[in-house]
């Protein structure tokens, strides 16, 4: 009887322990990102934008990963590792991995012929080729095992591509923005990175020549003027003001021009509508306080939704050749500084000297600090305009620096009412190191690890066996 | 505690004074080294990434751990020394944990052997130390859980080979559990968390993922408790 009770107790106890283990494992598994990322560049810490996008998934999304087994492991694992992190944030994103060569029918169904991720939501699919996620190094052009592993380094932009893919699946709202031309503004080709990102966020940009069109199209959600060299004509200004008074929104960023103090009457009047005064001086940060050249300023952020997350994460916007602005409050508008130069800065008024790289401070120069950008909202708090002192940070060669891209996209998204897209975007990652081994080094490694190292244990084993036998 | 250490120390002596242990380690090292050579030197230029080598070496644990743990308890049953142990003042918990700690000691030796590979790699460039340490932690946690399963299997039979086979089957089942779930979303959701092989993925990529670490700890604990229950049964039978 006693044995029976003890036996039953042991069985019940064992079953209970197994049950607790199963429940605990399933529970812990559902917690998701209860983790610390110890990789060099926080490679597996998802960006703000990715987390927001994943949390916003309202229905199941499948990520079908088709991998060619011929591709190098170092590449393909980046994609699967990253998607595993996505799954941790929201289990609605299900990841399924297939061998491209053994599942040709399924791959064909989605039109996949090379390693790719197919994002599928209902009947909508988006294909993100693995090839597109890698840049620089041989890996970008050739994914075969030998040559890919032979590449010295590569950059992985998988998070950026996959999150954009998810955004394009999730978002159905599109916005139309017009980029004014005719005043030597920046062309879309100078800002292709920014334009591509706007496109991925469903913001369509079209060029607009007011001289040709004669009016601002009715479908315009936003008017963009980026880097104008020459002033607007009176007629154009009238049309723009009319558009703005009828509820239109403005993204205006100035571009340095030698004659701006005398010839920017209409541009100045446009800004003054919202209480922004152009000082016509270029903000200069003295050499002793600047890491970069004196004309490149790393401004402090103001208190605004556009910059809040960037400030919290210490990601800076780099404004070069920016015109100093000042605030002159106008009734009916709330104008909030977005970027401010340091108190050491000054406003260079000798613009012809600036062109010859002369930036000595003199008595004619204005004392800093300056605001380099403002966000304007109406009485109800609705975003109306973003006015910036400089535009070069949006050009292809500069937008990749620090938070320039985030700042530009956040500003535009804020104007368009896309407050859920005001985030920090994924950064590219630097990858592994390689070494070239000579034939003699390879031989030493072979002899050392494959022959000598195991032999040491064999010798110890034989000695022990011998001693036992004798003993 | 003192009695537990005495058992641990006795088991460690049995391990390290036994030529078979060294021959087993030699086979493990030979295969691991060959795999390291193929992975590291085989492709040029070599990639200084310990993770590329780790996958092969941890698979070796699947074979070597049943061989190293098969003796732990079943040998006591076979020789009849279990009666001596069970009638001594030592508790079953102390016996099981003592033997388990000894197996962990052996596991540390295996991990130390594995260190030769990243050390060799470090002569050719800078290794990513945090990722390396996490990878070693991953091997230790995985190995510790596998040792506990091996110990449990050893408590089930007095025949060492039977114990080794049981351990291998249990380990293999938990190793490939996620591959059973390929075609079923529901099975994947419920079974995948119990895969011991895929649980190390986070650690080896450099992410200290809380649920994975707790999984290995609780899995080890589970099989230790089950081992205690099995040995305890002997006492009151």
């Amino acid at each position: 009887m006693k044995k029976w009770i003890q036996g039953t107790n042991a069985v019940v106890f064992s079953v209970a322990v197994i049950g607790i283990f199963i429940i605990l494992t399933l529970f812990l598994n559902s917690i998701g990102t209860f983790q610390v990322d110890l990789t060099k560049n926080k490679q597996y810490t998802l960006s703000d934008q990715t987390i927001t996008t994943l949390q916003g998934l309202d229905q199941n999304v499948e990520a079908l990963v088709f991998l060619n087994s011929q591709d190098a492991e170092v590449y393909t694992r980046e994609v699967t590792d990253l998607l595993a992190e996505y799954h941790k944030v929201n289990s609605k994103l299900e990841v399924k991995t297939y061998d491209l060569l053994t599942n040709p029918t399924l791959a064909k169904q989605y039109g996949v012929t090379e390693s790719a991720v197919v994002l599928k939501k209902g009947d909508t699919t988006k294909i993100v080729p693995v090839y597109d996620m890698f840049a620089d190094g041989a890996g970008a052009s050739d994914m075969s095992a030998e040559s890919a592993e032979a590449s010295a380094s590569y950059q992985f932009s998988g998070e950026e591509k996959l999150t954009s893919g998810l955004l394009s699946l999730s978002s159905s709202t599109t916005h139309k923005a017009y980029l004014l031309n005719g005043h030597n503004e920046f062309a879309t080709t100078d800002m292709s990175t920014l334009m591509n990102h706007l496109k991925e966020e469903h913001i369509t940009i079209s060029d607009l020549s007011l001289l040709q069109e004669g009016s601002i199209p009715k479908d315009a959600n936003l008017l963009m003027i980026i880097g104008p060299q020459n002033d607007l004509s009176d007629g154009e200004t009238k049309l723009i003001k009319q558009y703005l008074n009828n509820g239109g929104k403005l993204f205006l960023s100035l571009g340095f021009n030698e004659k701006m103090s005398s010839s920017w009457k209409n541009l100045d009047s446009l800004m003054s509508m919202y209480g922004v005064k152009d000082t016509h001086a270029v903000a200069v940060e003295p050499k002793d306080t600047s890491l970069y050249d004196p004309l490149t300023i790393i401004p402090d952020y103001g208190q605004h939704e556009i910059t809040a997350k960037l400030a919290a994460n210490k990601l800076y916007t780099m404004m070069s050749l920016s015109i100093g602005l000042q605030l002159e409050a106008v009734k009916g508008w709330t104008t909030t500084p977005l970027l401010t130069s340091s108190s050491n800065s000054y406003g260079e008024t000798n613009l012809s000297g600036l062109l010859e790289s002369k930036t000595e401070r003199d008595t004619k120069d204005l004392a800093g600090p300056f605001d380099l950008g403002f966000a304007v909202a109406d009485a109800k708090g609705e975003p109306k305009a973003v006015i910036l002192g400089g535009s070069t940070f949006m050009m292809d060669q500069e937008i990749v620096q620090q938070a320039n891209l985030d700042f530009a996209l956040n500003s535009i998204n804020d104007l368009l009412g896309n407050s859920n897209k005001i985030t920090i975007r994924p950064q590219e990652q630097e990858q592994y190191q390689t070494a070239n081994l000579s034939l003699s080094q390879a031989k030493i490694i072979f002899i050392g690890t494959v022959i000598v190292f195991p032999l040491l244990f064999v010798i110890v084993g034989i000695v022990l066996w011998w001693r036992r036998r004798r003993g | 505690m003192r009695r537990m250490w005495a058992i641990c120390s006795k088991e460690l002596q049995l391990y390290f004074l036994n030529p078979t242990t060294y021959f087993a380690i030699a086979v493990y090292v030979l295969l691991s080294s060959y795999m390291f050579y193929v992975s590291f030197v085989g492709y040029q230029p070599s990639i200084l990434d310990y993770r590329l080598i780790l996958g092969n070496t941890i698979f070796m644990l699947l074979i070597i751990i049943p061989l190293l743990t098969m003796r732990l308890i079943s040998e006591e049953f076979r020789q009849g020394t279990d009666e001596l142990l069970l009638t001594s003042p030592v508790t079953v918990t102390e016996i099981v944990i003592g033997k388990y700690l000894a197996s962990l000691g052996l596991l540390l030796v295996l991990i130390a052997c594995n260190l030769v590979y990243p050390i060799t790699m470090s002569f050719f460039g800078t290794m990513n130390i945090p990722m390396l340490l996490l990878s070693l932690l991953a091997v230790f946690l995985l190995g510790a859980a596998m040792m506990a399963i091996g110990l449990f299997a050893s408590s089930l039979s007095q025949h060492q080979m039977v114990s080794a086979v049981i351990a291998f089957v249990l380990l293999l089942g938990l190793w490939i559990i996620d591959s059973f779930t390929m075609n079923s979303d529901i099975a994947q959701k419920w079974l995948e968390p119990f895969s011991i092989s895929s649980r190390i993925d986070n650690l080896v990529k450099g992410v200290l993922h809380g649920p994975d670490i707790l999984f290995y700890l609780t899995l080890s604990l589970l099989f230790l408790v089950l081992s205690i229950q099995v040995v305890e049964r002997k006492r009151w039978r």
Side-chain angles (χ1 to χ4, degrees):
Chain A
M1 187 65 181
K2 193 185 170 192
K3 274 185 189 175
W4 185 83
I5 293 171
Q6 279 176 322
T8 312
N9 275 350
V11 170
V12 170
F13 181 71
S14 300
V15 170
V17 170
I18 293 170
I20 291 168
F21 167 73
I22 291 171
I23 293 166
L24 190 68
T25 301
L26 291 172
F27 168 71
L28 288 172
N29 207 51
S30 66
I31 289 177
T33 52
F34 166 44
Q35 62 184 31
V36 184
D37 183 357
L38 296 175
T39 52
K40 197 178 169 190
N41 300 321
K42 297 271 175 276
Q43 196 178 338
Y44 298 109
T45 302
L46 299 178
S47 74
D48 200 24
Q49 188 188 34
T50 303
I51 291 169
T52 310
T53 308
L54 287 167
Q55 286 170 343
L57 291 179
D58 51 355
Q59 53 174 289
N60 286 353
V61 174
E62 282 182 302
L64 309 169
V65 188
F66 290 95
L67 295 176
N68 187 335
S69 47
Q70 303 292 313
D71 293 342
E73 186 195 338
V74 281
Y75 287 99
T76 54
R77 78 176 187 204
E78 294 287 352
V79 181
T80 48
D81 282 351
L82 185 64
L83 280 168
E85 295 300 317
Y86 277 44
H87 179 71
K88 282 183 200 167
V89 176
N90 191 345
S91 57
K92 280 184 178 168
L93 182 107
E94 290 179 50
V95 185
K96 291 175 181 170
T97 308
Y98 300 97
D99 188 327
L100 189 61
L101 303 179
T102 54
N103 294 279
T105 318
L106 190 65
K108 200 177 172 186
Q109 190 184 324
Y110 295 105
V112 173
T113 53
E114 58 183 1
S115 294
V117 180
V118 178
L119 297 167
K120 187 182 174 197
K121 184 184 181 185
D123 295 332
T124 320
T125 55
K126 168 85 183 174
I127 299 173
V128 186
V130 169
Y131 164 87
D132 283 358
M133 300 181 198
F134 295 91
D136 298 336
S141 57
D142 187 346
M143 286 279 290
S144 69
E146 289 80 6
S147 58
E149 290 196 349
S151 76
S153 68
Y154 60 88
Q155 284 194 310
F156 179 57
S157 60
E159 192 185 351
E160 192 184 336
K161 297 283 188 299
L162 290 168
T163 303
S164 296
L166 280 177
L167 276 171
S168 68
L169 277 185
S170 308
S171 173
S172 55
T173 318
T174 55
H175 295 283
K176 184 88 186 165
Y178 284 91
L179 185 66
L180 190 71
N181 62 28
H183 317 89
N184 280 332
E185 290 95 342
F186 285 1
T188 49
T189 48
D190 298 327
M191 303 178 288
S192 56
T193 306
L194 176 62
M195 294 299 139
N196 287 336
H197 276 86
L198 290 173
K199 196 176 161 189
E200 282 170 0
E201 300 200 3
H202 297 274
I203 301 166
T204 315
I205 311 282
S206 299
D207 282 323
L208 173 68
S209 166
L210 278 177
L211 288 175
Q212 283 181 323
E213 297 287 333
S215 67
I216 294 171
K218 284 185 181 165
D219 64 350
N221 300 112
L222 176 68
L223 176 70
M224 299 172 79
I225 307 172
I226 301 180
Q229 296 291 300
N230 308 322
D231 198 15
L232 308 171
S233 70
D234 292 345
E236 286 174 315
T237 312
K238 192 179 163 190
L239 284 172
I240 292 169
K241 284 184 176 174
Q242 205 175 351
Y243 161 77
L244 293 172
N245 290 334
N246 290 331
K249 293 180 176 183
L250 176 70
F251 180 87
L252 169 62
S253 62
L254 301 173
F256 168 78
N257 184 287
E258 197 185 350
K259 291 171 185 163
M260 60 185 173
S261 56
S262 57
S263 67
W264 277 9
K265 179 172 69 80
N266 286 323
L267 276 170
D268 289 348
S269 76
L270 205 58
M271 288 187 277
S272 66
M273 279 171 66
Y274 303 112
V276 177
K277 186 191 167 194
D278 181 358
T279 62
H280 300 131
V282 172
V284 179
E285 199 74 65
K287 266 184 184 163
D288 54 343
T289 62
S290 174
L291 181 65
Y292 298 93
D293 71 281
L295 296 177
T296 299
I297 294 182
I298 315 291
D300 292 327
Y301 287 125
Q303 301 281 325
H304 196 276
E305 200 184 354
I306 293 174
T307 54
K309 286 184 177 170
L310 305 179
N313 288 279
K314 295 189 168 40
L315 290 166
Y316 301 100
T317 302
M318 296 172 67
M319 295 286 280
S320 60
L321 220 62
S322 176
I323 294 156
L325 305 173
Q326 281 174 347
L327 178 62
E328 287 182 343
V330 172
K331 204 179 170 188
W333 302 108
T334 310
T335 309
T336 313
L338 292 174
L339 308 165
T340 309
S341 65
S342 78
S343 53
N344 292 315
S345 65
Y346 64 91
E348 180 60 72
T349 51
N350 180 8
L351 301 180
S352 50
L354 204 62
L355 290 174
E356 295 159 20
S357 304
K358 289 178 187 167
T359 53
E360 290 300 313
R361 187 170 188 169
D362 56 43
T363 51
K364 288 178 187 170
D365 293 335
L366 309 175
F370 295 101
D371 289 315
L372 307 178
F374 289 102
V376 182
D378 63 15
K380 292 178 190 166
E382 285 291 311
K384 182 67 181 176
V386 168
I387 297 170
L388 305 173
S391 302
T392 51
F393 76 100
M394 286 181 278
M395 295 183 81
D396 283 340
Q397 58 270 41
E398 286 192 33
I399 200 149
V400 288
Q401 308 252 21
Q402 282 279 330
N404 287 4
L405 177 65
D406 294 273
F407 179 74
L409 288 175
N410 282 359
S411 301
I412 295 165
N413 275 319
D414 182 62
L415 280 171
L416 292 169
N418 293 337
S419 55
N420 59 333
K421 291 184 181 171
I422 296 177
T423 51
I424 297 165
R425 278 149 201 91
Q427 301 291 311
E428 289 191 345
Q429 301 290 340
E430 290 283 345
Q431 294 305 317
Y432 61 88
Q433 262 196 38
T434 57
N436 281 298
L437 304 188
S438 67
L439 197 62
S440 59
Q441 284 171 328
K443 268 185 189 168
I444 291 170
I445 291 173
F446 184 82
I447 293 167
T449 58
V450 185
I451 298 173
V452 175
F453 189 33
L455 213 56
L456 289 175
F457 290 97
V458 174
I459 291 167
V460 176
I462 290 171
V463 169
L464 276 175
W465 171 75
W466 184 253
R467 282 182 62 183
R468 276 192 164 195
R469 199 165 165 246
R470 289 186 66 195
Chain B
M1 197 69 168
R2 198 171 46 82
R3 291 188 292 254
M4 195 171 73
W5 282 117
I7 288 177
C8 174
S9 153
K10 184 207 116 196
E11 287 296 331
L12 280 174
Q13 277 184 23
L14 277 177
Y15 269 133
F16 292 110
L17 294 176
N18 188 350
T20 320
T21 308
Y22 292 93
F23 293 131
I25 295 175
V27 172
Y28 171 77
V29 165
L30 175 72
L31 293 172
S32 303
S33 293
Y34 181 71
M35 287 168 182
F36 162 71
Y37 181 79
V38 171
S39 306
F40 184 61
V41 185
Y43 292 112
Q44 285 299 312
S46 305
I47 298 169
L48 299 177
D49 183 352
Y50 183 53
R51 196 178 160 190
L52 288 172
I53 287 120
L54 197 67
N56 295 327
T57 52
I58 59 165
F59 186 73
M60 297 296 305
L61 293 177
L62 201 58
I63 296 151
I64 197 166
I65 284 182
L67 295 176
L68 292 174
T69 53
M70 64 184 184
R71 207 205 80 251
L72 279 171
I73 296 175
S74 59
E75 183 71 359
E76 306 275 5
F77 292 155
R78 193 181 67 81
Q79 291 187 350
T81 46
D82 57 315
E83 283 190 23
L84 275 176
L85 264 179
L86 294 173
T87 50
S88 70
V90 190
T91 65
V92 174
T93 308
E94 283 171 332
I95 297 168
V96 170
I97 294 178
K99 285 174 179 285
Y100 180 63
L101 288 177
S103 73
L104 291 188
L106 194 64
L107 178 66
L108 287 176
V109 173
L110 294 181
I111 292 173
C113 291
N114 264 332
L115 268 177
V116 168
Y117 312 125
I119 289 170
T120 307
M121 290 163 105
S122 68
F123 286 115
F124 302 96
T126 316
M127 294 295 289
N128 190 331
I129 300 297
M131 285 185 74
L132 175 64
L133 293 176
L134 279 188
S135 296
L136 295 174
L137 176 68
V139 180
F140 179 75
L141 288 171
L142 172 70
M146 291 171 85
M147 287 288 190
I149 295 169
L151 180 80
F152 169 70
S154 176
S155 70
L156 296 178
S157 169
Q158 60 174 321
H159 303 291
Q160 289 191 22
M161 278 322 289
V162 174
S163 298
V165 170
I166 295 171
F168 180 74
V169 169
L170 279 174
L171 290 173
L172 188 67
L174 288 170
W175 193 279
I176 59 171
I177 198 167
D178 50 344
S179 60
F180 295 139
T181 63
M182 288 296 281
N183 300 319
S184 166
D185 291 346
I186 297 169
Q188 189 179 20
K189 190 180 172 188
W190 294 100
L191 291 180
E192 206 178 45
F194 298 97
S195 163
I196 53 170
S197 55
S198 62
R199 282 280 184 169
I200 66 158
D201 290 351
N202 283 307
L203 281 165
V204 297
K205 77 183 183 190
V207 175
L208 200 63
H209 189 234
D212 292 344
I213 296 177
L214 290 170
F215 170 75
Y216 285 124
L217 294 179
T218 52
L219 184 67
S220 307
L221 197 65
L222 169 72
F223 278 96
L224 287 179
V225 169
L226 293 180
S227 306
I228 292 167
Q229 290 302 308
V230 174
V231 179
E232 192 79 55
R233 198 182 58 161
K234 285 268 174 189
R235 192 195 278 269
W236 44 258
R237 261 195 171 179

